[in-house]
Amino acid sequence: MNSILIAEDEKLIRAGIRTMTERSGVPFREIFEAKNGEEALAILRKEPVDLLLTDIRMPKMDGIDLVRALHAEGYSPVIMAISGYDDFSYAVEMLRNGVSEYLLKPLERDKFKEALEKADALVHEKDRDLKDIEAELEAARQEKLRDFFATDARQGKPSEAIVADAKKYFTESRRTRRLQLVGTGKVEELNTEWHSFFEAARRGYVDGEEFIQELILDAKELADIYSGALSEEKKTRLLSLKESDILACGSLENLEETFMNFLIGMQRDSEALHEEPVRRKISLAIRYIEENYASDINMAVVSNYVSMNYSLFSYAFKQYTGENFVTYLKNIRLKKAKEMLETTDEKVLSIGAAVGYENSKHFMKLFKSEYGISPSEYRKNMQKAE
């Protein structure tokens, strides 16, 4: 154990417990003392205590209230209660609140030593469990990072020259350049610069974690540079951006779309988004998607088809449809898949390919995520309903 806290209002008894602990042979680094529950809670808020030895009857805050307060604030040391009152109700209440041992005064040296050894074992078990959980969380995080920044293996390893060029996006001068484009109305330049920044990560030219930290830094500097022009909500979103928010976007493509929509929302001017021309272009884009959903299309293809800037198209598309491009395309494809499952005898894999998903596992995963059941189960349910 690293540390032990003794909470006891009587000084002599507290000293006796300390001496018995020191002579028990149970290893520890430090012992803290408190003469009531309030002092003990204050220490626990500052120090990572492994074991709490607490009396029940204490002034200001008794042992039972102390244990309740610990749980309410999220602290979880191993707890041993020591009381001079042989009252079953006290023991029940303490045990109900997670106390591992209930000892009566005066303490018997052998029983106390045995209780300390049990507590020490519990501390080590908790440490192992915590390390296992931390390891599992880190493994899950690394897997999510790999999926998020998955690159096409066919590209091969980038050359040193390409990597060196991509690294320039992490320099102060290049960061300043892309940040200062926001709010200037230079939409094409802004789109090109930021798209290239994301593209470097998409192609694996830069490390994923390094890219995330750079984007978080960019967000904070944007909040600082454009503080006077931002609403409190947007400023808070920029300042509070963290890795989990970024990974929650699901893919680098979704992240770029979300982030660029935010930037365009900051800097767009009235001339860039004339209502009727944009409405006509988005209508044309929707018709194109409905006619070509089964082919290998993406937002770059569609925005190019309607002759519209990538970032402006992304922003306008969501404004007019209420959904981002990726979600809109997915919903059309899955709706068509449902219709085919209901009206044809085509195999599930063929249906997935027919609506634009060459990867059958990806298709089935998306379908189940959207409707709660697999394509095969959906077809069976529809046949039963008939």
Side-chain angles (χ1 to χ4, degrees):
M1 284 186 286
N2 285 320
S3 57
I4 298 172
L5 171 58
I6 302 171
E8 165 63 58
D9 60 316
E10 295 187 37
K11 187 176 181 179
L12 289 176
I13 296 177
R14 192 165 66 245
I17 294 173
R18 182 185 187 111
T19 300
M20 290 176 67
T21 301
E22 292 171 340
R23 294 176 179 176
S24 68
V26 173
F28 64 88
R29 291 184 182 176
E30 192 170 9
I31 293 180
F32 300 100
E33 295 183 25
K35 59 179 178 289
N36 57 57
E38 286 186 358
E39 282 190 10
L41 188 58
I43 291 171
L44 283 154
R45 286 169 177 160
K46 296 179 181 179
E47 303 291 341
V49 172
D50 295 315
L51 172 62
L52 169 64
L53 305 170
T54 181
D55 189 12
I56 293 180
R57 294 287 186 92
M58 293 184 291
K60 295 187 179 180
M61 178 185 282
D62 63 26
I64 294 174
D65 288 338
L66 170 60
V67 172
R68 287 173 178 161
L70 288 182
H71 293 320
E73 296 190 24
Y75 303 108
S76 57
V78 174
I79 305 170
M80 288 170 50
I82 300 171
S83 175
Y85 300 88
D86 189 5
D87 190 321
F88 182 71
S89 62
Y90 285 122
V92 169
E93 187 64 24
M94 293 298 277
L95 293 170
R96 185 181 291 138
N97 282 279
V99 172
S100 62
E101 290 282 347
Y102 185 91
L103 302 175
L104 289 174
K105 301 175 185 175
L107 293 173
E108 296 181 26
R109 191 176 301 276
D110 290 342
K111 286 186 178 180
F112 182 66
K113 179 181 178 180
E114 183 181 344
L116 282 178
E117 289 171 347
K118 288 181 182 178
D120 185 50
L122 283 174
V123 169
H124 285 296
E125 184 178 336
K126 286 178 65 178
D127 285 344
R128 284 195 299 272
D129 290 344
L130 181 59
K131 287 176 182 177
D132 288 343
I133 292 170
E134 289 174 346
E136 289 173 8
L137 288 173
E138 179 59 21
R141 173 179 170 269
Q142 290 298 329
E143 183 178 357
K144 198 161 190 177
L145 281 167
R146 285 193 295 273
D147 290 343
F148 193 88
F149 291 100
T151 56
D152 190 343
R154 293 173 294 181
Q155 293 178 175
K157 186 177 180 180
S159 68
E160 291 183 8
I162 290 177
V163 172
D165 189 58
K167 287 285 186 182
K168 293 177 182 177
Y169 289 104
F170 297 85
T171 61
E172 187 175 348
S173 60
R174 202 62 180 266
R175 182 186 308 121
T176 300
R177 176 180 170 181
R178 64 176 174 268
L179 293 180
Q180 289 182 344
L181 281 169
V182 180
T184 63
K186 298 178 180 178
V187 179
E188 291 293 342
E189 286 185 47
L190 177 134
N191 178 64
T192 299
E193 185 67 19
W194 282 90
H195 183 64
S196 297
F197 172 58
F198 279 93
E199 190 68 10
R202 183 179 291 109
R203 292 181 176 274
Y205 300 159
V206 295
D207 177 72
E209 292 186 67
E210 189 178 357
F211 171 82
I212 286 175
Q213 292 309 311
E214 178 66 23
L215 189 62
I216 291 172
L217 178 59
D218 285 1
K220 286 179 169 52
E221 293 202 12
L222 278 169
D224 182 48
I225 294 169
Y226 300 98
S227 178
L230 288 170
S231 66
E232 284 303 314
E233 179 193 357
K234 287 186 176 181
K235 196 185 302 182
T236 299
R237 284 179 64 189
L238 287 170
L239 291 172
S240 63
L241 183 68
K242 52 187 181 293
E243 181 182 284
S244 58
D245 299 322
I246 291 170
L247 295 180
C249 289
S251 69
L252 197 56
E253 183 182 20
N254 284 346
L255 171 65
E256 180 177 0
E257 183 176 356
T258 301
F259 197 80
M260 292 308 295
N261 280 344
F262 189 91
L263 294 185
I264 296 299
M266 287 175 61
Q267 68 91 55
R268 71 186 188 278
D269 54 45
S270 58
E271 293 181 359
L273 285 177
H274 286 308
E275 187 72 15
E276 284 308 312
V278 170
R279 187 184 296 278
R280 286 197 297 270
K281 288 189 175 185
I282 297 302
S283 295
L284 181 61
I286 290 172
R287 187 160 65 248
Y288 181 86
I289 294 169
E290 290 175 344
E291 292 173 356
N292 297 277
Y293 65 87
S295 60
D296 184 21
I297 62 172
N298 54 41
M299 192 162 66
V301 170
V302 180
S303 62
N304 185 60
Y305 175 77
V306 298
S307 302
M308 198 170 179
N309 172 272
Y310 183 96
S311 297
L312 288 177
F313 175 85
S314 172
Y315 179 82
F317 189 89
K318 188 167 186 179
Q319 290 295 305
Y320 287 99
T321 66
E323 296 177 322
N324 65 35
F325 179 89
V326 173
T327 301
Y328 189 89
L329 177 60
K330 180 197 73 174
N331 288 341
I332 284 183
R333 285 173 166 173
L334 293 183
K335 182 180 177 182
K336 298 293 183 181
K338 279 178 63 179
E339 292 175 3
M340 291 184 71
L341 288 166
E342 295 169 5
T343 60
T344 74
D345 294 322
E346 288 284 335
K347 294 181 179 179
V348 169
L349 299 186
S350 299
I351 290 175
V355 298
Y357 293 113
E358 290 297 329
N359 187 319
S360 58
K361 288 184 179 179
H362 182 56
F363 164 63
M364 289 187 281
K365 182 179 179 181
L366 285 177
F367 191 99
K368 188 167 186 178
S369 176
E370 183 70 19
Y371 301 116
I373 56 175
S374 69
S376 299
E377 290 171 330
Y378 180 82
R379 173 174 272 169
K380 287 179 183 177
N381 290 345
M382 295 305 299
Q383 289 172 346
K384 287 178 183 178
E386 294 174 358

